[in-house]
Amino acid sequence: MFVLFRYVLYFLGFYTLTMLTCFALHAFLPNPPRILGFIARSMSAYLTLIVCAAYGTIASATLKVLGLHYTYAFWTVARAFKWLGMYTIGVKFDILDNGEDILNNNRPVVIIANHQTELDVGLLGWIWPKHCSITAKKSLRNIPFLGWFMTLAGAVFIDRVDRSQAIKAFEGAANAMREKKQSVVIFPEGTRSYSTTPMLLPFKKGAFHLAVQAGVPIVPVVAENYSHVLNVKARRFNSGTIRLTIVLVLDPIPTKGLTAADVDHLTRDTREKMLNVLEALGRDSASQTERNKKES
């Protein structure tokens, strides 16, 4: 055990030294290669995730003993990632209008968000309300610290291969939402888009079936395209502020009275409204960039 612990310390020491070296070279070289900044900030992001997941494992276990894990487990870790990530990654999400009030004052709801890159973990840190869980693919359960934390915190793991197991998981989530007034966060695209333009992948229907089954509203969240901050394909990772807005359709989208037959229309309608907001944010961002160029 001691030998394993020593190797872990060696790895963390080497990892941290490599990260700091990349940061230093990127900061002080006259014309540093872009890849240095990408490596440094990516390593910092993953280290931040590991630290917060380790903290989350301890916090969730403690909160579970106290019977408070459904209320605070994900929220406390999300806030830790938010505040730590501001300094270790250098990225902030700017929540527009009354978005925080909508997220914090409606419960239970199904919160859906567009899924761009791994940096969406940072997005969750900024929007996460209390009394909220998440759905995730089953394979994440086996990842050290992260999987342990998510299991203890009450995440709903979905087996994408076994449809019957996925349906059972959603049934359990719907019951928890009704009984514990527990909200759930889902990325309906199902995977990261890595897009450099404002766009959405086709939506999977699980989030909408869950909302209808539980009889709870849907709160869409749209983050502007942030490829100017993180572009994995171009190996670019900068610091910056990403605007975030809540999309409201007659406030949170109601689902009471809807049935499975309404899910297709609900999915299409919600995606279209989110895409309209995403494209509007893109146009506004482009206009602001042009204004800044003219002023300079």
Side-chain angles (χ1 to χ4, degrees):
M1 186 58 133
F2 177 76
V3 174
L4 177 61
F5 182 69
R6 185 175 62 185
Y7 279 120
V8 170
L9 288 180
Y10 286 158
F11 170 77
L12 290 176
F14 176 76
Y15 188 99
T16 303
L17 180 61
T18 303
M19 177 186 70
L20 293 175
T21 299
C22 289
F23 267 124
L25 291 173
H26 186 261
F28 295 110
L29 286 177
N31 294 299
R34 185 165 57 194
I35 189 68
L36 284 176
F38 177 81
I39 293 173
R41 211 170 293 278
S42 296
M43 293 183 71
S44 183
Y46 280 114
L47 185 60
T48 302
L49 182 61
I50 291 171
V51 169
C52 289
Y55 159 69
T57 302
I58 298 171
S60 298
T62 304
L63 289 167
K64 187 159 187 164
V65 171
L66 298 174
L68 297 172
H69 61 296
Y70 281 113
T71 303
Y72 295 109
F74 276 107
W75 176 81
T76 188
V77 175
R79 284 298 179 267
F81 194 93
K82 169 186 174 179
W83 293 111
L84 185 59
M86 285 175 60
Y87 300 100
T88 58
I89 308 173
V91 174
K92 297 190 295 183
F93 288 80
D94 182 20
I95 304 178
L96 303 181
D97 303 325
N98 60 336
E100 290 189 8
D101 291 337
I102 294 166
L103 286 166
N104 293 322
N105 295 327
N106 290 277
R107 166 177 159 235
V109 297
V110 173
I111 301 169
I112 62 173
N114 55 320
H115 201 9
Q116 299 183 59
T117 72
E118 289 81 357
L119 191 55
D120 288 333
V121 175
L123 159 68
L124 297 179
W126 286 76
I127 69 171
W128 206 279
K130 297 175 184 175
H131 302 276
C132 187
S133 183
I134 193 171
T135 64
K137 56 186 178 182
K138 187 177 179 181
S139 59
L140 289 179
R141 180 186 286 172
N142 302 320
I143 298 178
F145 294 115
L146 180 61
W148 303 340
F149 148 61
M150 294 178 73
T151 300
L152 289 168
V156 179
F157 292 101
I158 304 298
D159 188 343
R160 295 178 178 175
V161 177
D162 190 333
R163 178 176 172 79
S164 63
Q165 291 300 317
I167 292 174
K168 288 181 181 179
F170 275 122
E171 289 175 352
N175 290 332
M177 294 182 76
R178 287 190 294 262
E179 295 170 4
K180 301 182 175 67
K181 296 192 71 176
Q182 185 87 353
S183 297
V184 173
V185 174
I186 301 177
F187 292 110
E189 292 169 279
T191 189
R192 294 172 286 270
S193 66
Y194 295 113
S195 175
T196 58
T197 59
M199 60 83 71
L200 293 172
L201 296 173
F203 278 8
K204 298 183 182 301
K205 300 173 187 176
F208 303 93
H209 277 292
L210 175 60
V212 169
Q213 190 172 353
V216 302
I218 296 169
V219 176
V221 175
V222 179
E224 70 175 338
N225 183 271
Y226 55 71
S227 56
H228 61 289
V229 173
L230 175 59
N231 186 328
V232 175
K233 295 177 181 178
R235 299 295 185 265
R236 178 175 63 241
F237 198 167
N238 304 315
S239 59
T241 298
I242 301 165
R243 296 178 304 171
L244 182 69
T245 184
I246 305 301
V247 182
L248 292 179
V249 183
L250 300 176
D251 290 323
I253 304 169
T255 65
K256 282 190 176 180
L258 299 183
T259 67
D262 301 303
V263 167
D264 284 349
H265 175 73
L266 180 64
T267 303
R268 288 194 302 269
D269 189 52
T270 304
R271 183 182 180 277
E272 181 180 348
K273 288 175 172 61
M274 290 179 68
L275 183 58
N276 288 340
V277 171
L278 183 58
E279 290 174 343
L281 284 171
R283 290 192 295 270
D284 183 57
S285 180
S287 298
Q288 184 62 50
T289 301
E290 287 299 319
R291 287 194 294 270
N292 292 340
K293 286 181 179 179
K294 289 179 182 179
E295 291 174 0
S296 61

